[in-house]
């Protein structure tokens, strides 16, 4: 049985995952406006992943008998200086998400909520991957600097990313 404290904290984070999805949807649009179609694809996949995370929290709470609460999301930025700026903001945001997930895991331990501890382990592992990928892209962008050819090569590489639904489903929409 999940406590009200734990359910409220998970519900709050579920809404933050939706906010995260909106950030990446906006970044996809901004990258597209910059002519970086590959980056636009990369951020669209990131949006799809965040929506999947949202649905994982939604399904977990519903399975625990909780009637979820959706809250209004604040507006997200839609102007960026460069692809490097977007990726640095992405890493900073994912570090916030990591802190939030870690706080939830600590709360689950405090609440002696073993089911939530197990549920959150997937997200802890996922955040390691998220931050590592962002750091790799940032390193490449710093390496090429403002060299347009280098940025276009990285953009082409980013465009190869495809959405893969995590094991256990929770995909927010059909996967092509």
């Amino acid at each position: 049985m999940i406590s009200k404290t734990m359910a409220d904290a998970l519900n709050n984070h579920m809404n933050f995952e939706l906010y995260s999805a909106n950030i990446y949807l906006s970044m996809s649009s901004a990258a597209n406006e910059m002519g970086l179609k590959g980056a636009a694809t990369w951020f669209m996949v990131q949006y799809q992943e965040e929506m999947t995370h949202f649905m994982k929290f939604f399904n977990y709470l519903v399975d625990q008998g909780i009637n979820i609460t959706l809250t209004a999301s604040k507006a997200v930025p839609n102007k960026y200086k460069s692809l490097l700026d977007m990726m640095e903001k992405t890493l900073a945001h994912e570090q916030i998400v990591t802190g939030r997930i870690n706080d939830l895991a600590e709360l689950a331990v405090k609440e002696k909520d073993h089911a939530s501890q197990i549920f959150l382990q997937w997200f802890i592992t996922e955040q390691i991957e998220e931050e590592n990928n962002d750091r790799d892209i940032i390193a490449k962008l710093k390496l090429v600097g403002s060299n347009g050819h280098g940025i276009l090569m990285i953009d082409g590489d980013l465009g190869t990313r495809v959405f893969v639904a995590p094991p256990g489903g929770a995909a927010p929409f059909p996967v092509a």
Side-chain angles (χ1 to χ4, degrees):
M1 187 163 131
I2 191 167
S3 72
K4 179 171 179 9
T5 300
M6 191 76 227
D8 288 348
L10 290 169
N11 193 104
N12 179 277
H13 187 77
M14 176 193 71
N15 281 287
F16 193 77
E17 292 287 350
L18 190 55
Y19 172 71
S20 297
N22 289 337
I23 288 173
Y24 297 127
L25 187 60
S26 178
M27 285 182 171
S28 178
S29 175
N32 189 64
E33 182 183 42
M34 291 178 190
L36 299 169
K37 303 291 187 193
T41 296
W42 192 93
F43 285 114
M44 184 59 71
V45 171
Q46 194 66 23
Y47 160 80
Q48 292 170 314
E49 281 192 3
E50 299 305 324
M51 288 302 297
T52 300
H53 299 171
F54 168 83
M55 289 304 301
K56 280 182 164 282
F57 277 90
F58 174 89
N59 290 334
Y60 179 76
L61 288 165
V62 168
D63 288 349
Q64 292 286 339
I66 303 300
N67 183 14
I68 63 101
T69 302
L70 291 173
T71 58
S73 179
K74 63 182 178 177
V76 297
N78 67 348
K79 299 289 181 197
Y80 301 92
K81 297 178 222 163
S82 64
L83 180 54
L84 178 59
D85 180 42
M86 284 192 278
M87 291 310 304
E88 288 174 337
K89 286 181 169 60
T90 296
L91 176 58
H93 182 76
E94 290 301 330
Q95 288 169 334
I96 291 168
V97 173
T98 298
R100 293 175 61 99
I101 295 289
N102 289 339
D103 290 345
L104 287 170
E106 285 295 319
L107 179 60
V109 168
K110 180 182 169 200
E111 294 281 318
K112 297 181 181 176
D113 183 342
H114 303 290
S116 293
Q117 289 176 48
I118 293 166
F119 169 72
L120 290 165
Q121 284 303 307
W122 183 88
F123 290 96
I124 291 167
T125 303
E126 173 73 3
Q127 285 309 117
I128 294 168
E129 179 186 328
E130 294 281 354
E131 289 185 31
N132 185 50
N133 290 339
D134 297 343
R135 279 191 299 274
D136 285 349
I137 296 166
I138 289 167
K140 290 175 186 174
L141 288 167
K142 286 183 175 179
L143 189 65
V144 301
S146 61
N147 179 304
H149 295 291
I151 293 170
L152 288 176
M153 286 184 68
I154 293 169
D155 184 59
D157 187 46
L158 294 174
T160 64
R161 185 179 186 200
V162 294
F163 175 70
V164 177
F173 33 75
V175 178

